[in-house]
Amino acid sequence: MAEAAVFAKFNEEYAKEVDENRPLSLPPNRKLAVLTCMDARIDPAAILGLKEGDAHVIRNAGGRATDALRSLIISQHLLGTREISVIHHTDCGMVTFSDETLRCQLRESVPPNLAPSQGPSIDASSFLPFKDLENSVREDVAFLQASPLLVEASKANITGWIYDVKTKKLSPVH
């Protein structure tokens, strides 16, 4: 609860500076959706020069496309994004484990006999780890390009990148 109190206090000050007449459109100004990892060392706005309202930023463990598809469908079909950038990063925790390793850990700490309403069974869960960083980007870009649920005309605008957390450099993956 300590961190919640800190950000609540910060937000009080932050909200005092708001210009309620500033232009804020619901669709992102740059028609861009960024998919990246939830890693705290990644600041998508700083890395990409984004401002409030520029892009949808979708984050999950590893920046994996299969986890993000629902959000990307909404982003494209309801909010008009037409470009997707998939950004994975160096020193990612997703390369440090396998599905089976995490399943074993969960079996030790989660009560058996979860009800279906409580989520998928441990054995049915895929946590989407990977061993090859560049290949994981290629897989996610290919998955999105092959999806019949995304806007066909936007598929040429799906790009893959690797962000180096040490140098802060962004490199394209082809």
Side-chain angles (χ1 to χ4, degrees):
M1 191 63 147
E3 287 303 316
V6 171
F7 68 68
K9 185 166 178 52
F10 175 85
N11 183 257
E12 283 181 32
E13 295 302 313
Y14 176 74
K16 287 179 184 175
E17 300 172 16
V18 72
D19 172 6
E20 291 185 21
N21 297 314
R22 73 193 187 285
L24 277 181
S25 79
L26 185 58
N29 296 326
R30 291 169 60 177
K31 298 187 183 309
L32 170 66
V34 176
L35 170 58
T36 194
C37 186
M38 65 187 193
D39 190 299
R41 298 170 293 176
I42 299 171
D43 182 351
I47 294 166
L48 304 173
L50 300 173
K51 295 185 298 276
E52 180 181 46
D54 276 352
H56 290 154
V57 178
I58 301 159
R59 300 180 75 153
N60 63 44
R64 300 312 309 257
T66 53
D67 252 3
L69 185 59
R70 180 185 66 87
S71 296
L72 290 168
I73 291 166
I74 293 166
S75 178
Q76 286 204 327
H77 289 279
L78 299 180
L79 296 165
T81 58
R82 293 298 178 262
E83 186 171 343
I84 300 171
S85 293
V86 176
I87 303 172
H88 293 192
H89 67 94
T90 58
D91 196 31
C92 185
M94 297 299 285
V95 302
T96 65
F97 69 94
S98 68
D99 273 339
E100 193 50 39
T101 303
L102 186 50
R103 285 182 189 127
C104 287
Q105 186 176 344
L106 288 170
R107 282 186 203 105
E108 292 174 10
S109 63
V110 175
N113 305 325
L114 289 176
S117 63
Q118 294 174 301
S121 74
I122 291 170
D123 290 329
S125 296
S126 177
F127 301 98
L128 309 174
F130 50 85
K131 293 295 178 199
D132 183 321
L133 185 58
E134 282 191 29
N135 194 50
S136 70
V137 173
R138 284 189 199 98
E139 286 175 354
D140 282 351
V141 167
F143 171 82
L144 295 173
Q145 289 172 332
S147 175
L149 302 173
L150 295 177
V151 174
E152 194 62 38
S154 74
K155 291 182 180 178
N157 297 321
I158 300 173
T159 56
W161 304 84
I162 292 177
Y163 174 69
D164 187 311
V165 295
K166 289 185 178 133
T167 67
K168 297 187 176 186
K169 290 184 181 175
L170 195 62
S171 302
V173 174
H174 303 285

